[in-house]
Amino acid sequence: MKSAILRRLRKQDAVVSGETLSRELGLSRVAIWKHIQGLRALGYGITASARGYRLAEAPDTPYAWEFPGREPLIHYHARTDSTMKIARQMARTGCPPFSVVVADAQTRGRGRMQRVWCSEKGGLYFTLILRPSVALIHSARINLYAAIILAGTLRGMFAIDARVKWPNDILVKEKKIAGLLTEVEAEADQVTYMNIGIGINVNNDPPASEPRAATIKQLVGGPVSRIALLAAFLDAFEADFSVAAENGVIHRWKAATVTLGRRVEVVTPRTVTRGLAVDIDENGGLMIRQADGSIKTVVYGDCFHRKSP
Ligand code: BTN
């Protein structure tokens, strides 16, 4: 009902009488008043006068009803430990594909390689639950696809030069504005679910512990809508999803990356591989030409761009 009231108030930038709302929505005027109070408690600035109600301002909070057409798929939390954890439970208990768990803040946000993902208010933190019919080996392409789509969305919306660093960090001028973390479960070699967690520095201040991080707010000079960003990403992601696991994604990734042609160092808990990043293989592995001329393909790890000697 809250979403119906908001939709009606948004239909015209003017006062809507209590009587009109009550008639059109089939509720008593007392019930309308109670819902208005509920919306105000959620941060909506709704003015009330003798003539009726007017929506003066809305919070940038990704409540489900802010995503018309997707409402049943959006699961909003003001604060949670990690959207990955909730998404895993949902995926295992049969939620529909394209469900999204989104939080304003996380108390135990997780990054790649067991790191903490700082998740203060103002950022956008969500996990997208997918059920692609693909072999496990090809799931890495969907990972790359998500990064390409995110970089493209950021470039299109904010005119910033968002590029992908292998495997799927999003950088602007070598500073990280977003990261992706994927969790896959498979049976035999077929993916049963694939959860893609995305953290974007939007209106938050970059954590002091991360000098190589930037936020969209800094880059564009003011706060931007997290709701519009999430909606645009989901639209773009779904639009091309049928080709997300195909080989063409590899070419698209190459066009969006700043890693190829760079000297890199890829670090895993056991190995460090140094050399020139020359290509990626058909499953997204990074091919590095080492000092002795041999090519080594790495499939995971922390990638650092190094200055050319
Ligand atoms: C990285 O290390 O770059 C990946 C960061 C991924 C962070 C996101 S925020 C939403 C989701 N929930 C988490 O706990 N992590 C991911």
Side-chain angles (χ1 to χ4, degrees), residues 115-188:
R115 271 191 301 260
V116 169
W117 182 262
C118 186
S119 310
E120 299 298 319
K121 272 187 87 161
L124 180 58
Y125 315 107
F126 64 98
T127 302
L128 174 60
I129 302 170
L130 304 170
R131 299 191 183 282
S133 316
V134 292
L136 187 55
I137 182 126
H138 290 146
S139 62
R141 293 183 189 163
I142 298 178
N143 232 344
L144 302 180
Y145 171 78
I148 303 165
I149 296 293
L150 181 56
T153 305
L154 294 168
R155 287 199 301 273
M157 281 185 83
F158 307 117
I160 54 178
D161 192 25
R163 300 281 155 191
V164 185
K165 183 182 80 157
W166 184 87
N168 50 11
D169 283 350
I170 309 296
L171 308 186
V172 175
K173 297 194 187 95
E174 289 296 310
K175 290 204 167 184
K176 181 161 170 174
I177 55 166
L180 291 84
L181 173 71
T182 302
E183 189 176 289
V184 188
E185 224 169 66
E187 227 173 80

Side-chain angles (χ1 to χ4, degrees), residues 8-246:
R8 184 61 188 83
L9 292 177
R10 280 178 167 146
K11 210 162 115 187
Q12 63 197 65
D13 182 22
V15 172
V16 182
S17 72
E19 193 190 326
T20 304
L21 283 173
S22 145
R23 189 182 62 249
E24 290 185 6
L25 302 178
L27 287 180
S28 71
R29 289 180 66 170
V30 174
I32 294 283
W33 170 245
K34 285 197 176 140
H35 282 300
I36 296 279
Q37 293 294 81
L39 283 166
R40 283 177 168 167
L42 292 173
Y44 290 86
I46 300 177
T47 59
S49 66
R51 291 190 302 123
Y53 302 105
R54 183 172 162 271
L55 180 62
E57 61 174 318
D60 184 30
T61 307
Y63 296 121
W65 53 76
E66 296 291 355
F67 300 86
R70 283 206 166 82
E71 276 185 57
L73 296 174
I74 305 287
H75 301 263
Y76 165 74
H77 299 261
R79 193 179 195 81
T80 185
D81 45 5
S82 164
T83 58
M84 297 306 283
K85 191 169 152 198
I86 301 176
R88 181 191 295 169
Q89 281 158 358
M90 286 173 56
R92 286 184 176 165
T93 49
C95 73
F98 298 107
S99 295
V100 177
V101 183
V102 56
D104 279 338
Q106 300 181 114
T107 50
R108 296 173 69 102
R110 285 165 38 203
R112 291 178 64 245
M113 312 288 287
Q114 321 293 333
R115 271 191 301 260
V116 169
W117 182 262
C118 186
S119 310
E120 299 298 319
K121 272 187 87 161
L124 180 58
Y125 315 107
F126 64 98
T127 302
L128 174 60
I129 302 170
L130 304 170
R131 299 191 183 282
S133 316
V134 292
L136 187 55
I137 182 126
H138 290 146
S139 62
R141 293 183 189 163
I142 298 178
N143 232 344
L144 302 180
Y145 171 78
I148 303 165
I149 296 293
L150 181 56
T153 305
L154 294 168
R155 287 199 301 273
M157 281 185 83
F158 307 117
I160 54 178
D161 192 25
R163 300 281 155 191
V164 185
K165 183 182 80 157
W166 184 87
N168 50 11
D169 283 350
I170 309 296
L171 308 186
V172 175
K173 297 194 187 95
E174 289 296 310
K175 290 204 167 184
K176 181 161 170 174
I177 55 166
L180 291 84
L181 173 71
T182 302
E183 189 176 289
V184 188
E185 224 169 66
E187 227 173 80
D189 76 333
Q190 283 294 306
V191 170
T192 48
Y193 74 79
M194 178 166 184
N195 288 351
I196 302 188
I198 301 186
I200 312 175
N201 293 327
V202 184
N203 301 323
N204 51 315
D205 293 316
S209 56
E210 291 281 357
R212 301 202 64 79
T215 73
I216 300 176
K217 178 178 78 172
Q218 285 176 333
L219 292 165
V220 304
V224 301
S225 165
R226 295 178 312 144
I227 296 174
L229 172 55
L230 179 54
F233 170 79
L234 294 174
D235 284 349
F237 189 92
E238 281 184 41
D240 258 0
F241 187 65
S242 59
V243 297
E246 290 182 7

